[in-house]
Amino acid sequence: LALWFWMFAIVGGLLPLLLVALPWTRNVAGMVIASCLVLPMMWLKRMLLVIGPATYDTITRTFGSYHFTWVPIAITLAAAAAVPLMLMLLFRVVPLLSIDEIEEMHQTQTIDELDKMHDAKNDQSARPPAEPRTPVGRDDRLVGARGGKARSVAAATGALLLVVLVGMFGVGTADNAQAAAPPKVASTLKITGSEAGGSMELAATLTGPHGQLMEDASVAFAFSTTEFGAPARLVSLGSATTDKAGIARLTLGSDTDHMYRPTTNGPQEFVATYNAAGAKPLIATTTINVTIARSAYHPAPAKPLAGVGDVLVVVLFGIVAAIWLTLITQIWRVRRVCRVAREPVVGSS
């Protein structure tokens, strides 16, 4: 997400500040460009606040990818629709000049102008309309050239700053030096698994450097899974202590400390690990074809008002659609009234 973060910082922060700070871009065109840059970057900031934590897996402490679904899209549309909804509700409570009153005022003004023009024709002959005078010292061509040059300077400055920042922060750090591997110990660890009576038992045999069976040694068990993404990760199953024969046995689902039961049938890899003091950990793996898996999902009974939620979703989406349609209709009416108001009034002879 670094690219999107720096895009927000530069496009939404640095460039608008430059457009406002520089005198030759502090005009209408510069302010419009600054506003157009800030608005989408504010939405990008909200996306970074949501997507960043959503891609972090607190179980494995790794980052993944985020995919949009209809739920966040619907929440975004509803939040955008809430703003015009609150404005329309406020306009209902606080009386403002309505569209009907604007139309009535425009009709009254049109009638008054027609009466004045009729009276003026009786007094003097018609005159050609006077050409609008340009203020002294103003040259539109110079203004356009100045604005184009300012936009070019601002774009070049922004591109240069973006290249510099990417060069500063795009350099990766060197990997940390790994510690020297401890000397190897001639101990061995083997793991086997078997199914019996609807349960699975894992057995790890531990022998010492001279081939002797090691007693009262703690062996940790885990299984490899891709449930949390690739590559496969190890999930702890618990630990067991070796007996006089040097064997540590763990029955899956046997007690409160070993509650895990296989949830999918098929080949599954199990791992046993023994950590000796001052020696390299011993790791042994085995693949077992699981046939007694049980699903971990137990559906809850249907709620009495479960169907109300589906109806509520349809009602809420209908409200959001009605808000947007009302807003579009109001904008269309305002534009129609403003367009009529700008048209010149021509009297009949």
Side-chain angles (χ1 to χ4, degrees), residues 31-182:
M31 298 303 100
V32 171
I33 295 175
S35 302
C36 294
L37 294 178
V38 169
L39 184 59
M41 291 302 105
M42 291 298 102
W43 283 101
L44 179 60
K45 176 184 177 182
R46 271 69 179 174
M47 292 176 61
L48 291 175
L49 292 176
V50 174
I51 294 177
T55 56
Y56 182 70
D57 189 352
T58 57
I59 297 178
T60 60
R61 297 183 179 181
T62 56
F63 286 91
S65 58
Y66 180 83
H67 302 282
F68 284 101
T69 61
W70 70 270
V71 177
I73 294 175
I75 293 175
T76 303
L77 292 177
V83 176
L85 173 62
M86 291 186 293
L87 289 177
M88 288 187 287
L89 292 177
L90 180 64
F91 294 161
R92 289 296 182 181
V93 177
V94 180
L96 298 177
L97 194 60
S98 65
I99 302 299
D100 297 330
E101 293 176 354
I102 295 178
E103 293 177 347
E104 183 179 358
M105 292 174 58
H106 174 66
Q107 293 176 359
T108 305
Q109 183 180 4
T110 303
I111 295 174
D112 294 340
E113 291 178 356
L114 290 175
D115 293 337
K116 291 180 180 179
M117 293 179 62
H118 183 70
D119 295 338
K121 284 183 178 181
N122 296 333
D123 298 335
Q124 59 184 2
S125 59
R127 298 179 182 178
E131 296 181 358
R133 294 189 297 176
T134 303
V136 179
R138 177 184 177 89
D139 192 346
D140 294 338
R141 293 177 298 175
L142 295 179
V143 174
R146 186 178 182 182
K149 183 178 179 181
R151 286 190 293 269
S152 301
V153 172
T157 304
L160 180 61
L161 291 175
L162 180 60
V163 172
V164 173
L165 289 175
V166 170
M168 292 175 58
F169 296 96
V171 180
T173 58
D175 296 335
N176 296 327
Q178 297 182 354

Side-chain angles (χ1 to χ4, degrees), residues 190-226:
K190 297 181 181 179
I191 180 175
T192 58
S194 61
E195 296 180 352
S199 61
M200 176 177 291
E201 183 182 86
L202 300 177
T205 304
L206 180 64
T207 58
H210 304 288
Q212 76 278 15
L213 300 176
M214 299 183 62
E215 184 181 358
D216 294 332
S218 178
V219 178
F221 294 88
F223 74 97
S224 178
T225 178
T226 57

